[in-house]
Amino acid sequence: MHSHLCNRCGSCVGLSDGAIVFEDKTGDYRPVIKAEIDEKTAETLWEACPGKSFNFPSFREEFYPEVPNFNTFIGPYRQIGIGFATDSQIRQQGASGGIISAVLIWLLERKMIDGAVVLGMSKKEPWLTQAFIATTKEEVLEAAQSKYIISSVNDILPEINRFEGKLAYVGLPGQIQSIRKLQRMKHPSVRNIAYIFGPFYGNTLHFSSITSFLKTYKVSDYREITKLYFRHGEWPGNMRVELKSGRLIELKKFHANYLIPFHILRNSLYCTDLTNEFTDLSGGDAWAPVYEERGKGFSIIISRSDKGDDILNRMLNEGTIKMEPISAQTAIEMHSHGYDFKKRGGFIRIHFRRMLGKEVPDFGYELKGFGFSRYLMEFVISSLFILMGTKVARWTVEKIPPYIIGGIFERTRKIWKKSTYSIKRKEL
Ligand SMILES: Cc1cc2nc3c(=O)[nH]c(=O)nc-3n(C[C@H](O)[C@H](O)[C@H](O)COP(=O)(O)OP(=O)(O)OC[C@H]3O[C@@H](n4cnc5c(N)ncnc54)[C@H](O)[C@@H]3O)c2cc1C
């Protein structure tokens, strides 16, 4: 809980009956023990925690026994394609192609589920996220789009437990790993969860990303926020903040990415799952110039389990989703930087951590044997993350208008990507 291995999934908070709470959601967002916990509960929390260990091969064998395809980068899969929801409202409101929301709405409308666990923005504190159970199309759409600040979906496990009816669950890889652990334990809190979906996951940011962003616009109090969007408008969208005064602040998503190195949750650096490998179906942004130029929103879709694949096929037949199949190799090339960051960089960073004598997560497998140049590159990246996470660096960047720093960041990233192209693609 007090190392960088905690991904803030929220399971310990949800299952501790109030003994563990997140005290400081706009700060470090750490679970804090407030009361004594009995031994049995403590054992459950320990078992359900995905931060210290999650055995990928063993969970894959248990939950995807019949899945014909497996790729180390992608995980188990049946179909991969590029697509979007044909309902233009869903597509427009979704983060990319609106696929995840479309699937949830489709399941609700066919009464295959009674509710969907999703992540919206808090009504009371609109600068924070809040997980809830959506039971209508409107509620699913209210929660659409990616939230890039730390969020703990599993702190609503008691609500999930109390819910009468079948549920779909949407979460990030760490949150889903905990759900899978609870399913393995046959824990009652997850007995209603019939389907698991989730977005790809590069990284999450501390809430300081929001306060720092506001400071650059000379707004000193985040409580002025009435609405916060991370992907507003046409894909890939804008970060957008609406304030009590009526003022509106907007910055292109690609420019807002400048916040990443300054505010990244360190656990993101030790997560080795980009594509949300333990879902029934997962989706990411179809990052390729051919789609990006067209705007509108395109997702990469991966169906994994029988039930995920069945939903996808039925939705394709009915025309609620459109999809062009692509090969695993094309999918890997589309997200090669992401795979490199997670599957190579992640394991190298874990290796560095082990060398420093710190605890490391046990994923039941390890990728290694990368060339010296890749280790060197990771050393530079990791040093930059440490340097840019300091108070001085954050303070300095707040003095530069975001559209300038965002523009510089986007250009530097393109040059960096080009110059490291061959190191990164080697043997992908
Ligand atoms: C933190 C984060 C990092 C990401 N990094 C990448 C990346 O590196 N590369 C890439 O290709 N794609 C990434 N994505 C995925 C991408 O942004 C889209 O979410 C994905 O393409 C699905 O789009 P959609 O239109 O189908 O989803 P939508 O229809 O918009 O549905 C999204 C669903 O995800 C849920 N959700 C949103 N944010 C969170 C969250 N923080 N925690 C739990 N549930 C959440 C919502 O409740 C909603 O149900 C990331 C998403 C998130 C949240």
Side-chain angles (χ1 to χ4, degrees):
M1 288 159 78
H2 297 282
S3 77
H4 291 303
L5 302 193
C6 175
N7 64 32
R8 293 17 173 219
C9 71
S11 289
C12 59
V13 171
L15 296 173
S16 70
D17 197 17
I20 303 180
V21 293
F22 283 118
E23 251 187 351
D24 187 17
K25 290 194 171 180
T26 56
D28 206 25
Y29 206 126
R30 285 228 181 247
V32 180
I33 302 173
K34 296 299 241 183
E36 203 162 305
I37 301 164
D38 66 78
E39 204 166 313
K40 192 161 170 271
T41 309
E43 263 171 34
T44 306
L45 303 187
W46 184 248
E47 251 329 277
C49 174
K52 63 185 194 323
S53 68
F54 180 81
N55 192 307
F56 277 57
S58 148
F59 276 90
R60 200 162 53 236
E61 267 168 38
E62 180 172 343
F63 287 94
Y64 305 88
E66 309 283 328
V67 177
N69 313 306
F70 170 72
N71 179 289
T72 312
F73 294 127
I74 298 172
Y77 67 93
R78 287 189 178 271
Q79 295 184 67
I80 310 177
I82 304 296
F84 54 86
T86 50
D87 179 326
S88 55
Q89 187 198 5
I90 302 177
R91 186 179 186 187
Q92 203 194 351
Q93 283 186 236
S96 47
I99 297 295
I100 296 181
S101 298
V103 167
L104 300 178
I105 292 165
W106 187 86
L107 287 168
L108 276 172
E109 285 174 350
R110 270 146 203 81
K111 308 222 180 309
M112 289 165 72
I113 56 170
D114 303 287
V117 179
V118 288
L119 185 78
M121 298 306 292
S122 160
K123 295 222 157 56
K124 238 170 72 193
E125 299 170 304
W127 48 89
L128 289 178
T129 55
Q130 173 69 58
F132 69 99
I133 298 176
T135 54
T136 61
K137 176 179 179 179
E138 291 68 36
E139 285 176 350
V140 169
L141 288 179
E142 201 184 299
Q145 294 204 357
S146 305
K147 288 49 175 206
Y148 294 123
I149 47 173
I150 305 174
S151 308
S152 46
V153 176
N154 295 357
D155 57 12
I156 69 157
L157 276 168
E159 210 178 307
I160 296 175
N161 193 9
R162 283 193 301 272
F163 188 82
E164 284 179 19
K166 268 192 181 179
L167 286 170
Y169 171 100
V170 182
L172 297 180
Q175 296 155 358
I176 288 175
Q177 287 167 12
S178 184
I179 298 294
R180 289 297 190 200
K181 283 184 142 195
L182 288 162
Q183 286 182 331
R184 174 177 276 184
M185 291 154 66
K186 308 224 176 313
H187 197 272
S189 64
V190 293
R191 70 181 185 289
N192 293 332
I193 297 177
Y195 302 96
I196 296 188
F197 309 110
F200 280 26
Y201 174 59
N203 53 68
T204 324
L205 305 185
H206 280 278
F207 188 78
S208 57
S209 56
I210 305 300
T211 45
S212 177
F213 176 74
L214 288 177
K215 273 186 200 161
T216 57
Y217 289 93
K218 311 276 179 272
V219 180
S220 56
D221 188 356
Y222 61 79
R223 291 179 206 85
E224 292 297 308
I225 296 175
T226 53
K227 286 237 179 241
L228 174 59
Y229 303 90
F230 297 87
R231 301 280 296 260
H232 189 270
E234 183 144 310
W235 186 64
N238 298 326
M239 181 164 171
R240 174 181 164 118
V241 184
E242 293 173 13
L243 299 171
K244 277 182 192 159
S245 60
R247 189 175 164 198
L248 195 152
I249 303 170
E250 238 176 342
L251 185 69
K252 273 165 65 177
K253 184 225 177 306
F254 283 145
H255 284 187
N257 280 350
Y258 86 86
L259 293 162
I260 295 172
F262 296 95
H263 303 279
I264 191 166
L265 170 70
R266 289 284 282 282
N267 180 265
S268 313
L269 301 173
Y270 306 117
C271 162
T272 62
D273 182 349
L274 174 73
T275 64
N276 225 329
E277 296 175 34
F278 292 89
T279 48
D280 290 306
L281 184 147
S282 69
D285 285 287
W287 295 137
V290 56
Y291 301 113
E292 284 166 36
E293 278 157 19
R294 280 193 254 165
K296 281 198 171 152
F298 290 88
S299 288
I300 176 163
I301 309 163
I302 304 179
S303 69
R304 302 180 186 279
S305 62
D306 281 349
K307 43 187 181 179
D309 199 49
D310 184 51
I311 293 169
L312 180 60
N313 284 332
R314 288 174 64 184
M315 290 181 75
L316 287 171
N317 284 340
E318 289 176 21
T320 31
I321 286 180
K322 273 214 167 107
M323 185 181 97
E324 286 289 325
I326 58 166
S327 68
Q329 192 52 34
T330 308
I332 290 170
E333 279 168 18
M334 176 173 278
H335 283 84
S336 63
H337 291 85
Y339 290 115
D340 177 77
F341 181 73
K342 292 271 168 182
K343 294 283 186 189
R344 285 190 189 144
F347 282 108
I348 296 175
R349 289 185 290 269
I350 289 171
H351 182 67
F352 287 167
R353 218 179 133 79
R354 192 182 290 120
M355 278 166 56
L356 292 172
K358 297 188 171 176
E359 307 99 329
V360 294
D362 177 5
F363 294 130
Y365 80 112
E366 201 175 338
L367 301 182
K368 49 187 176 184
F370 315 118
F372 175 72
S373 52
R374 187 62 189 82
Y375 276 93
L376 188 66
M377 191 180 110
E378 200 49 53
F379 181 74
V380 174
I381 295 175
S382 294
S383 307
L384 280 175
F385 276 129
I386 292 172
L387 205 74
M388 292 166 100
T390 59
K391 278 189 183 156
V392 182
R394 289 178 180 179
W395 179 86
T396 310
V397 81
E398 282 160 17
K399 305 288 163 270
I400 310 169
Y403 63 92
I404 296 182
I405 188 76
I408 295 172
F409 183 82
E410 196 181 358
R411 243 167 291 139
T412 315
R413 200 157 167 268
K414 273 187 189 153
I415 297 167
W416 170 264
K417 271 174 139 183
K418 229 177 172 176
S419 63
T420 54
Y421 186 86
S422 60
I423 306 174
K424 288 182 168 177
R425 298 225 167 184
K426 236 185 234 171
E427 290 156 33
L428 262 179

